[in-house]
Amino acid sequence: MNTLHAVLVLLLAVAVAALVRRGRDTPGLRLAKLRPRAPSRPGTHRAHVAHAARPPDAPLPSFEFNLPTIPNLAAKLRDRYIAARFPAMFGGGSALANPANVVRVARLYFEEGKADRAQELLGLASKQAPGEATIRLAQLELAFLARDATRYLACAKDFREALPDRLEWADITRLGFALTPEEPLFAGARDTRAHAHAHYGPWPDTPNWIQASWDLTSDVLAADFHAAAMAQSTEEAA
Amino acid sequence: MKRDAAFAFVPITLVDEAGIRGRISAIDLPCANVAAATQGFFTVADEFAAAKVRLRAVLIETSLEWMEEEKRCAAFVHGCCDDLARIGFRIAQSGIATWGIEEPRVLRLIARTLQFMGDTVKWEMAVTPGASQDLAKTHRLMRQALEAAQHRHPMAMQCDGLTWQATIEGLYFRALLLGWYASGALNCKQIEIIDSWIWTMMPSLSGVVVPPPGAAFRADLDSHDGLRRGPRQSAGPSLYLPQAPLIADHQKILAEFQAGRIVPHAGTASRLRIEEHVHVLAMVRRNLRESMREPVPRAQRTRCDRSCEMLVGLAEVRAWRGIAARAPLVASLMAAGDSRGSRATLPSVMDQVYERNPRIVAITDESANGFGLEADEESCNSLAQGDLVALIAVDGATGSLARVVRRVPARTAGRVTLGLSRLAPLATNLHLVREVAGRGPEPVLMPFVPGADASGRHDGFLVDEDMFRQLGVVTATLGDRHYQLRLNRVRERGRGWVLAGFEVISAQSRG
């Protein structure tokens, strides 16, 4: 009986110790323990500096990350990055698998004046599914609407490389020509009508790859709701 | 989170604080032998750097709020950095006079001193925020190195247990950049993250003496000030730090995070929550983007001297209208059973039953964008950046919603200074109804946040994150119409709250 008690007490002590140790670790620390140990020698985080070859006034050579990728941990960290960057909209990488939803959320970010975040979201989704034209087209349209010629050109080149035979290429060159007429990639669109692309969203001459609504009813309803809510607020305050 | 009182007096005994302080004081004595003083400086600096790695882990990685012990510990780190920077500067001047600046020991001395100057600025935020930074000595060291063309001499430097290739110029800009970011808008963890990135960006911290095309920071070498923007108008030597390489570095760091790799992958910053990194990435991006535009004049601030009540968090904001109109207990409980549903009115009933201690704060200045406040440390102990607050006028009739963007101890002991970013006027709580499968209609109470114009496109509701995800379609009855709404976007977000945009799906007349 005494032996049984002793065994039970020992098991209880081990369980308590395990719980205490688990409680002490924050999720960050637990993740940190999975990561490789800190290298504390020069040259790990940066390019090696060729001391002898450097002129005395030259700046240090630019660094290049050469960080190890640990597949499972990288996926977890990427999920957590996505959840933190797009809070309440996406919980992780798997949520980016729905292109229609990604485009919708990107459009909403863009409408809120968060064009960078919209492009980052589309960029992440595009990396995850490189063959998905919907995402790439939305990226192009948002770059066009922001009049961001550099980004538009980069996205157009990527599109051409990844999806060379798409019919949308005619529209892409037409919009691209409007942004950067001197760019040889868009030279095929020289004879398109001037200013046919000067509008945001659902106009006959813009492709509406971002799936903006053609219907103005929701705008009318929003104004109506605003007026009613403000009337109630004024009433309450009185 | 507040640490349990039982742990309040457990001393942090990781390092021999008295011993380190004593040894620093010993090299501070007038010393005729520069070589001995230099050697003494390096020895103590190494000992302190090793101690700092241990202390930093305790102070920065904790998720608990700092108690007196941690504050004292941070003051120790700050004090030692400040002393070593001051002593290093003095010995460096003697070294330059004795051996000349080209002597490797002198260059190393300057580099270590600049490193301690940067650390002092960094820890100042935690210990004596608002203290005016006098960077005259920092500029002087850089000027001396620049004149002797030794500012780009590469040397290996240790920081947080890692080794980095650095230059005097890079360390100089590190100190200035830390001063730029340590204004109270970032907490200690976030400053630590910025610092760790600055070390990775060291090759880009390379200045030019003429204003470069594009955006650039400016350091006036004959001043006491930190970084400025735009070309210098007055005469005098200045260094310009072009921002294009910094933007490229920021993109590299961003790409690493997007691929699921933390930068740098070791050291204290790598063990902090990813949300902190994301916050800093966004802050740096905003900062760099702002610098590409024409400078926008800061919103005009008006000095104020008035008090108001501050509500903290979504629950208090939600209960606001109930507090304003107090009613007898019986009437309140009867009202709770009215047609709106008892769950919706319960918070206001509880507030009427239990007397609250209102949190009274003093508004010290106000602008179109925000407020500056001063308040008791005790009543604002749990407040942190990102918290939602509402300022209610004394008459209880009007309120403004804001988020905390800055929280630093005030110059007066026991007080804190808060910076708030204005979100919107606080309009009303709307009673909505949602359909829950298997349970029928369920009432929901949500603070309505009107947008700046009457279009309704910028209106929103304050909800918690769970509610945002799960709410689905809700119905609001206003006037003679039923509106069906769906929350569909996050406009702003902070600790425990979301300002959600919505779309009106349909509207129908009652009956």
Side-chain angles (χ1 to χ4, degrees):
Chain A
M1 198 63 181
N2 279 344
T3 316
L4 185 62
H5 277 157
V7 169
L8 281 173
V9 167
L10 188 66
L11 282 173
L12 192 62
V14 169
V16 167
L19 277 174
V20 166
R21 184 176 300 175
R22 188 182 165 79
R24 222 182 267 154
D25 286 5
T26 60
L29 283 176
R30 280 201 290 273
L31 274 175
K33 283 178 183 174
L34 292 171
R35 290 188 208 121
R37 296 294 300 165
S40 56
R41 55 188 160 71
T44 312
H45 289 269
R46 53 175 178 73
H48 284 281
V49 180
H51 291 233
R54 279 179 80 255
D57 200 34
L60 292 176
S62 175
F63 70 94
E64 290 300 331
F65 287 113
N66 185 21
L67 305 183
T69 302
I70 304 165
N72 288 339
L73 182 61
K76 271 185 194 171
L77 285 172
R78 185 172 180 273
D79 280 351
R80 284 181 60 182
Y81 174 79
I82 289 168
R85 180 71 177 135
F86 310 104
M89 305 308 283
F90 298 100
S94 59
L96 303 184
N98 178 349
N101 192 40
V102 169
V103 171
R104 184 184 68 84
V105 173
R107 190 187 73 239
L108 293 175
Y109 277 132
F110 185 79
E111 287 174 359
E112 296 284 312
K114 297 169 181 163
D116 277 354
R117 200 175 301 208
Q119 284 289 0
E120 187 179 350
L121 172 63
L122 293 169
L124 281 164
S126 171
K127 264 185 201 156
Q128 201 165 299
E132 183 57 63
T134 319
I135 305 277
R136 290 179 180 275
L137 291 169
Q139 255 183 316
L140 279 158
E141 186 167 353
L142 290 188
F144 173 75
L145 294 173
R147 300 294 187 265
D148 185 343
T150 315
R151 189 189 291 272
Y152 189 91
L153 180 59
C155 290
K157 281 179 178 166
D158 285 351
F159 187 94
R160 190 74 166 153
E161 198 173 309
L163 306 160
D165 302 323
R166 296 287 298 205
L167 294 176
E168 290 91 346
W169 183 247
D171 277 333
I172 293 172
T173 51
R174 182 168 59 82
L175 298 182
F177 184 75
L179 277 184
T180 48
E182 69 282 3
E183 170 56 42
L185 189 64
F186 306 133
R190 274 182 207 290
D191 20 337
T192 47
R193 283 177 295 142
H195 306 301
H197 33 63
H199 304 289
Y200 166 71
W203 285 81
D205 294 311
T206 45
N208 196 20
W209 292 319
I210 54 172
Q211 298 158 26
S213 172
W214 291 82
D215 187 357
L216 293 178
T217 311
S218 62
D219 289 350
V220 175
L221 289 179
D224 192 25
F225 182 82
H226 176 89
M230 292 311 287
Q232 175 164 322
S233 175
T234 313
E235 218 170 85
E236 273 180 23
Chain B
M1 202 190 305
K2 190 84 181 165
R3 182 179 279 200
D4 193 287
F7 294 101
F9 299 105
V10 177
I12 298 171
T13 51
L14 293 171
V15 298
D16 172 20
E17 291 185 17
I20 292 175
R21 274 202 179 284
R23 284 185 282 282
I24 290 175
S25 303
I27 48 168
D28 197 18
L29 295 172
C31 183
N33 186 343
V34 182
T38 306
Q39 189 51 48
F41 175 82
F42 287 142
T43 307
V44 177
D46 286 345
E47 186 189 358
F48 171 66
K52 192 152 59 99
V53 172
R54 292 199 293 275
L55 289 177
R56 196 194 327 230
V58 173
L59 294 172
I60 304 292
E61 288 177 37
T62 179
S63 58
L64 303 171
E65 191 181 323
W66 281 6
M67 300 286 290
E68 286 310 312
E69 190 60 26
E70 281 89 357
K71 287 179 187 170
R72 189 194 53 70
C73 212
F76 163 75
V77 175
H78 171 258
C80 289
C81 290
D82 197 20
D83 287 346
L84 285 166
R86 188 173 43 77
I87 295 165
F89 178 80
R90 192 169 54 76
I91 302 174
Q93 295 309 309
S94 303
I96 292 169
T98 311
W99 300 314
I101 198 167
E102 291 81 7
E103 161 70 28
R105 273 178 295 180
V106 176
L107 290 174
R108 182 131 204 97
L109 201 49
I110 292 174
R112 293 298 291 267
T113 304
L114 285 169
Q115 186 180 6
F116 283 123
M117 285 173 172
D119 290 347
T120 308
V121 170
K122 190 167 74 168
W123 285 92
E124 209 150 64
M125 210 214 73
V127 180
T128 54
S132 57
Q133 295 166 0
D134 184 352
L135 297 164
K137 288 177 180 166
T138 315
H139 293 309
R140 185 165 165 195
L141 286 178
M142 180 60 195
R143 216 168 51 231
Q144 288 170 321
L146 193 65
E147 282 162 6
Q150 295 296 325
H151 58 297
R152 288 182 184 161
H153 180 82
M155 53 191 102
M157 301 291 292
Q158 290 278 333
C159 178
D160 197 14
L162 302 174
T163 304
W164 303 93
Q165 203 70 20
T167 60
I168 287 176
E169 184 180 33
L171 292 164
Y172 166 73
F173 279 122
R174 169 183 173 259
L176 298 186
L177 281 170
L178 285 172
W180 176 267
Y181 284 111
S183 62
L186 295 177
N187 61 32
C188 291
K189 293 176 200 286
Q190 291 160 353
I191 286 286
E192 192 62 38
I193 290 169
I194 287 258
D195 191 23
S196 70
W197 292 348
I198 291 175
W199 282 102
T200 67
M201 292 176 174
M202 201 53 81
S204 303
L205 302 183
S206 179
V208 289
V209 290
V210 287
F217 285 115
R218 189 188 81 232
D220 295 336
L221 291 165
D222 54 350
S223 73
H224 296 248
D225 306 327
L227 289 174
R228 295 279 181 273
R229 277 194 175 131
R232 185 170 179 165
Q233 302 300 328
S234 59
S238 292
L239 263 187
Y240 295 87
L241 179 63
Q243 282 189 217
L246 303 184
I247 292 171
D249 287 347
H250 176 265
Q251 289 300 321
K252 281 186 194 173
I253 292 173
L254 183 64
E256 291 299 313
F257 277 94
Q258 288 178 345
R261 295 186 291 265
I262 284 190
V263 178
H265 81 283
T268 308
S270 72
R271 294 189 287 274
L272 298 177
R273 291 165 67 239
I274 204 156
E275 285 78 5
E276 306 282 4
H277 291 85
V278 170
H279 180 87
V280 181
L281 273 170
M283 220 278 285
V284 172
R285 183 197 335 243
R286 204 163 42 240
N287 206 268
L288 292 173
R289 199 174 45 204
E290 274 168 15
S291 68
M292 308 298 279
R293 300 187 190 127
E294 284 295 304
V296 179
R298 196 173 186 177
Q300 186 70 40
R301 290 184 185 198
T302 319
R303 298 294 300 171
C304 309
D305 188 17
R306 62 188 166 92
S307 298
C308 64
E309 184 183 353
M310 183 164 73
L311 309 177
V312 177
L314 189 55
E316 288 190 17
V317 171
R318 213 180 262 162
W320 172 52
R321 286 290 189 195
I323 298 161
R326 290 193 185 285
L329 172 60
V330 177
S332 305
L333 290 173
M334 284 172 69
D338 73 5
S339 58
R340 287 169 180 172
S342 56
R343 291 180 66 171
T345 50
L346 203 54
S348 46
V349 175
M350 298 312 286
D351 273 316
Q352 288 161 33
V353 174
Y354 297 103
E355 192 68 40
R356 292 180 323 107
N357 277 333
R359 210 180 274 104
I360 303 297
V361 296
I363 301 182
T364 52
D365 60 65
E366 190 175 353
S367 74
N369 301 338
F371 304 91
L373 303 183
E374 208 174 291
D376 274 340
E377 193 173 16
E378 186 133 340
S379 65
C380 297
N381 226 348
S382 58
L383 264 186
Q385 287 150 16
D387 276 339
L388 175 75
V389 297
L391 300 178
I392 309 296
V394 178
D395 61 4
T398 55
S400 289
L401 280 172
R403 69 183 296 164
V404 179
V405 291
R406 189 165 184 262
R407 179 191 189 276
V408 290
R411 285 170 191 267
T412 318
R415 307 275 292 169
V416 287
T417 301
L418 299 171
L420 306 183
S421 158
R422 198 192 284 263
L423 289 175
L426 183 54
T428 186
N429 286 319
L430 289 186
H431 295 271
L432 301 108
V433 176
R434 67 167 165 176
E435 287 291 330
V436 183
R439 279 191 291 171
E442 188 176 274
V444 190
L445 183 71
M446 297 199 298
F448 173 69
V449 181
D453 58 36
S455 71
R457 293 186 65 177
H458 304 106
D459 295 351
F461 284 103
L462 280 172
V463 290
D464 57 60
E465 219 164 271
D466 278 348
M467 187 182 271
F468 177 79
R469 281 205 202 93
Q470 298 162 10
L471 195 61
V473 176
V474 285
T475 307
T477 304
L478 295 172
D480 60 349
R481 302 186 86 180
H482 296 296
Y483 296 89
Q484 282 205 310
L485 320 170
R486 181 167 45 215
L487 304 187
N488 66 349
R489 66 188 83 181
V490 176
R491 290 230 159 85
E492 298 275 348
R493 177 178 174 265
R495 297 205 313 170
W497 61 275
V498 167
L499 174 55
F502 61 92
E503 58 182 332
V504 184
I505 302 167
S506 68
Q508 288 178 338
S509 294
R510 265 172 155 179

